[in-house]
Amino acid sequence: MQPIAQYVGLDVSLEETKACVVDESGRPIWRGKCASTPDDIEKLVSKHAPNAARIGLETGMRSVWLFHELKSCGLPVVCIDARPAKAAVSLQINKTDANDAHSIAQIVRVGWYRQVPVKSMQTHAVRAMTTARAQFVSTALKIKNTVRGLLKTFGVVLKIGSQLRYVQLVRTAIQDHPILLTIIEPMLIALTSLQEQTSKQNGSGAFEA
């Protein structure tokens, strides 16, 4: 005799995850909660849904990490589009996190969901690095524009030169202005640090903002 399939709905928040387990007919078997960590969720499923046929969680800030971690534990987890799921969940009379978990369990049981392809952690790492580099470049450009504006206020106009020598050009221009040295030097130190970090990410050469 085949074991009765179970379906699990997870409503994930930053620190706590509400869970609901239903059987093939949709009857709730267990409701509860655990910490929002892969280990705690895996233990919860092993204890309360050992015959889980499908485990559903909605797209969200922690869904990528949890999806891959739970997959690596051999759990049949699916990541579902939060928008259609939200529409189904909103039909509940008493909307709570626990009831949301129940609705997600029912959704994955009957198949009324759109599964979201979850990209690999390597892909997300590359995207994160690109985002970080873009932030470095943007911040460096803002610092340069601020420095130029401050210098013009004091009648100092930078000579046109290589962006790679920008810090050197500024220091040369303000070397006889003690007040400007006090104001500008900390910004140049921050700019140099940004250039160094971006250069490390690029793997070669300093960047031009």
Side-chain angles (χ1 to χ4, degrees):
M1 182 178 179
Q2 286 188 334
I4 299 175
Q6 299 160 333
Y7 300 86
V8 184
L10 303 175
D11 187 80
V12 180
S13 62
L14 187 61
E15 296 183 355
E16 189 176 79
T17 293
K18 298 293 177 61
C20 179
V21 182
V22 301
D23 62 17
E24 292 176 332
S25 66
R27 180 178 62 88
I29 300 174
W30 183 84
R31 293 174 184 257
K33 62 184 178 180
C34 68
S36 294
T37 67
D39 287 343
D40 285 279
I41 294 174
E42 193 275 331
K43 290 176 183 177
L44 182 153
V45 173
S46 296
K47 182 177 180 179
H48 300 286
N51 300 318
R54 200 172 296 125
I55 302 167
L57 71 153
E58 294 177 315
T59 52
M61 292 296 293
R62 297 171 67 83
S63 58
V64 172
W65 172 61
L66 285 176
F67 175 86
H68 286 293
E69 290 295 318
L70 295 176
K71 271 289 187 182
S72 68
C73 295
L75 297 179
V77 61
V78 293
C79 188
I80 65 178
D81 192 331
R83 290 168 296 180
K86 184 177 181 180
V89 169
S90 66
L91 298 176
Q92 298 175 130
I93 297 177
N94 298 317
K95 188 181 185 308
T96 64
D97 290 343
N99 286 338
D100 287 354
H102 177 252
S103 294
I104 294 171
Q106 297 291 8
I107 289 171
V108 296
R109 178 181 68 87
V110 299
W112 292 348
Y113 64 90
R114 184 172 68 188
Q115 185 169 345
V116 177
V118 181
K119 295 180 180 179
S120 69
M121 294 304 293
Q122 178 63 28
T123 299
H124 283 279
V126 172
R127 179 182 295 177
M129 182 175 293
T130 302
T131 300
R133 184 188 183 281
Q135 185 63 50
F136 285 152
V137 173
S138 175
T139 303
L141 183 58
K142 288 180 180 178
I143 291 176
K144 289 182 177 183
N145 289 337
T146 299
V147 168
R148 288 183 186 277
L150 291 173
L151 293 182
K152 287 178 182 178
T153 300
F154 288 86
V156 178
V157 179
L158 291 179
K159 297 179 181 179
I160 298 175
S162 170
Q163 290 292 318
L164 299 177
R165 296 178 56 247
Y166 179 87
V167 172
Q168 181 182 339
L169 289 172
V170 174
R171 284 179 172 147
T172 299
I174 65 176
Q175 61 184 348
D176 297 326
H177 299 75
I179 294 178
L180 285 179
L181 280 170
T182 301
I183 297 171
I184 302 298
E185 183 60 25
M187 301 178 72
L188 296 180
I189 293 173
L191 178 60
T192 301
S193 179
L194 286 168
Q195 291 175 327
E196 290 173 351
Q197 292 304 316
T198 305
S199 178
K200 288 179 181 179
Q201 284 198 354
N202 290 343
S204 63
F207 74 97
E208 295 188 9

